[in-house]
Amino acid sequence: MISLDFNFNILTRDLSHYLENQVKVGLFGSGVGLSLVLGFSAAYTCYYLVSVAKKPQLISGGKKFYQFLREQCPVVSETYYPTFWCWESRIQTLLRPFVTAKPGVVYRNELIKAADGGQISLDWFDNDDSFSHPDPATRPMVLLLPGLTGTSRESYILHMVQQSRDLGYRCVVFNNRGVSGEMLLTPRTYCAANTEDLETVIDHIQRANEAAPIMAAGVSMGGMMLANYLGRKGRETCLKGVVVFSAGWDVFECTASLEKPLDRFLFNSYLTSCLQASVHRHRPVLEKCYDIDHVMKAKTIREFDERFTSIMFGYPTNDDYYHDASPVHRLKSVQVPMLCLNAADDVFSPSHAIPVEAVKQNPNLALLITCHGGHIGFLEGLWPRQSTYMDRVFKQFAKAVIEQGGGLADLS
């Protein structure tokens, strides 16, 4: 303790000496400069602790699920401390792909056939070195669904694979058609409303691993697809539990938010170009059925969906597609424990469209809302390289579902 105190005093003295010599204000000399720096730092710290760092809001439709989460997932009750130098939503969203590490993961790829003759790419992490679950026949499995243009190589997916590996579980990533390097065999891609490919994938992995418990995690559009799947299937699914991150619950509200000038500049135009790039890669197959030149002139996601997605999946209008793609309309039918994490400052899923009241009506649902975190951000720590708040929620909930799942029986 003496050594620690001594080192701290030396550090404080050296820091003060540096500031006195480097911070020059000129009005009253370096003392005023030092006072301003220390005063600003103190004010910023107070603001951060009072207005930024807050406990998340946990909402559930039933006391049993609520209590289960409080007991098995302590992260839901802990204060979330966003990275103090980048807690603003857009900065969190933009920086996460660059500041978070990408764990090394070696996948085993599998291509499976779809009913229409297309192919679906699955990336497996088998975790054959699992100490806690050495038997591959019973090794728990986590199905992961990336976002709108994401693949198994996204940092947030790699982090969930890493967390699953630490728990001893196997992972499989469902890549949407045409995004992970495989060829399109039919003129069809994907959308949040259509869950046929997801149903095919879940049936496939269940048949291959009949004795293993299966849970799923979806991010952004992947979470929307999972929620829509559960709403359609009710109890007719093998999934033991689901966790959804940064889902857009009402597509009308999500697209309207992303069409505001700043968010259109930062996010909408970029995502539209990513969608168009995927269409361009598969142009020889797609141009037989769709006006690709018209699609390539779209400036926003809404225009892209009007010219491509809604037409591909047979909707009379784009509004019909957006209504069908919005998970908020199916939450009442979900019969599997589903935890949803959203940030109140997420411009992709605005706070007024988070389905708080719908969640309160279904005992199988729980909603965790942080004040900050952006879209798939949730950065925390001084330098958020290794883990995020979202990663911790995933790991604790996955472990709870797989190992304490009995506590989730009969939530109604």
Side-chain angles (χ1 to χ4, degrees), residues 174-191:
F174 165 35
N175 298 294
N176 287 305
R177 294 197 200 190
V179 300
S180 62
E182 80 283 5
M183 295 296 296
L184 279 184
L185 301 183
T186 59
R188 170 173 165 165
T189 55
Y190 59 93
C191 75

Side-chain angles (χ1 to χ4, degrees), residues 183-188 279-280 282-293 295 308 311-312:
M183 295 296 296
L184 279 184
L185 301 183
T186 59
R188 170 173 165 165
V279 168
H280 180 72
H282 303 290
R283 183 168 187 144
V285 176
L286 295 173
E287 65 183 356
K288 300 173 184 177
C289 301
Y290 310 103
D291 185 350
I292 302 303
D293 289 337
V295 172
F308 185 73
I311 297 173
M312 172 177 288

Side-chain angles (χ1 to χ4, degrees), residues 75-131:
V75 67
V76 305
S77 304
E78 298 172 359
T79 299
Y80 167 47
Y81 293 94
T83 299
F84 79 95
W85 50 270
C86 66
W87 49 264
E88 196 274 333
S89 63
R90 294 172 183 84
I91 299 177
Q92 285 244 340
T93 303
L94 291 168
L95 284 185
R96 165 151 188 165
F98 302 102
V99 302
T100 54
K102 287 193 172 185
V105 174
V106 178
Y107 290 115
R108 171 176 62 86
N109 184 256
E110 178 185 17
L111 295 174
I112 64 174
K113 290 294 183 181
D116 69 329
Q119 62 182 357
I120 304 169
S121 175
L122 303 179
D123 282 324
W124 291 84
F125 177 74
D126 295 306
N127 203 7
D128 290 328
D129 296 328
S130 174
F131 178 78

